[in-house]
Amino acid sequence: MRRWFRLVSMRSADEKWMKVALAEAELARSAGEVPIGACIVSESGELIAAAGNRTIADCDPTAHAEVLALRRAASIIGNYRVIGVTLYTTIEPCAMCAGALINARIAKLVFGAPDERFGAAGTLFNICDNDNLNHRITVERGVLADDCRRLMQDFFKERR
């Protein structure tokens, strides 16, 4: 019974934080950016940082939501290693972002929808759990996947 309760409570916590990431994605969308959002949560369950894509606004190809959230978290923590945290992101990270997550030494990645074209957390590449790297990340897939996917699909339908 306790294990079932723990799984249910973990899933509801994941959904809570994914909604924060979705809110960041909505802000990015309203700014004309590709609607991807991310947030970083401590082991104790506190929000450390959140961000949405800003590649266009910042004129920076590295200004993905995950990278921006990592930069903010590292600044807040005061260390380039953000050990023990969970990063939530609406869409599976690309190779650049997955590499940044490895370098930051995050403990867990939770993403909403897979990315068939660029996904680097198991869909196209598997950077997060690669035997050739010195750090591995626990990955949870599919949290609020339909909401995350729909946001992206609606954004690109509007742009066509």
Side-chain angles (χ1 to χ4, degrees):
M1 180 84 164
R2 285 185 181 165
R3 182 182 167 131
W4 176 83
F5 176 75
R6 185 168 184 251
L7 290 174
V8 169
S9 64
M10 286 173 54
R11 189 65 172 189
S12 62
D14 286 347
E15 289 179 0
K16 169 189 171 182
W17 295 116
M18 187 60 72
K19 287 177 183 177
V20 172
L22 277 163
E24 291 293 327
E26 286 285 359
L27 289 172
R29 178 185 186 177
S30 67
E33 301 278 354
V34 174
I36 298 175
C39 68
I40 296 178
V41 178
S42 71
E43 289 175 289
S44 62
E46 295 179 45
L47 180 66
I48 298 172
N53 272 3
R54 290 188 47 86
T55 56
I56 298 167
D58 292 358
C59 197
D60 179 356
T62 70
H64 290 197
E66 300 92 335
V67 170
L68 295 174
L70 279 174
R71 288 176 185 163
R72 289 179 187 152
S75 178
I76 289 166
I77 291 169
N79 192 335
Y80 70 104
R81 302 277 195 231
V82 277
I83 297 169
V85 304
T86 299
L87 184 136
Y88 293 84
T89 185
T90 55
I91 303 296
E92 180 180 4
C94 68
M96 174 186 71
C97 293
L101 300 179
I102 290 288
N103 284 312
R105 304 295 193 267
I106 70 156
K108 183 177 179 183
L109 165 67
V110 179
F111 70 82
D115 186 339
E116 302 291 329
R117 293 179 59 217
F118 300 106
T123 299
L124 185 59
F125 305 109
N126 193 3
I127 294 173
C128 296
D129 187 22
N130 187 307
D131 291 337
N132 296 312
L133 300 175
N134 64 343
H135 178 71
R136 290 190 188 90
I137 300 169
T138 300
V139 178
E140 176 77 24
R141 297 163 173 82
V143 175
L144 300 180
D146 291 339
D147 295 335
C148 296
R149 184 180 302 106
R150 190 174 313 110
L151 182 60
M152 288 287 281
Q153 289 172 341
D154 290 349
F155 174 79
F156 285 110
K157 281 180 188 172
E158 290 170 6
R159 295 185 58 105
R160 290 184 186 127

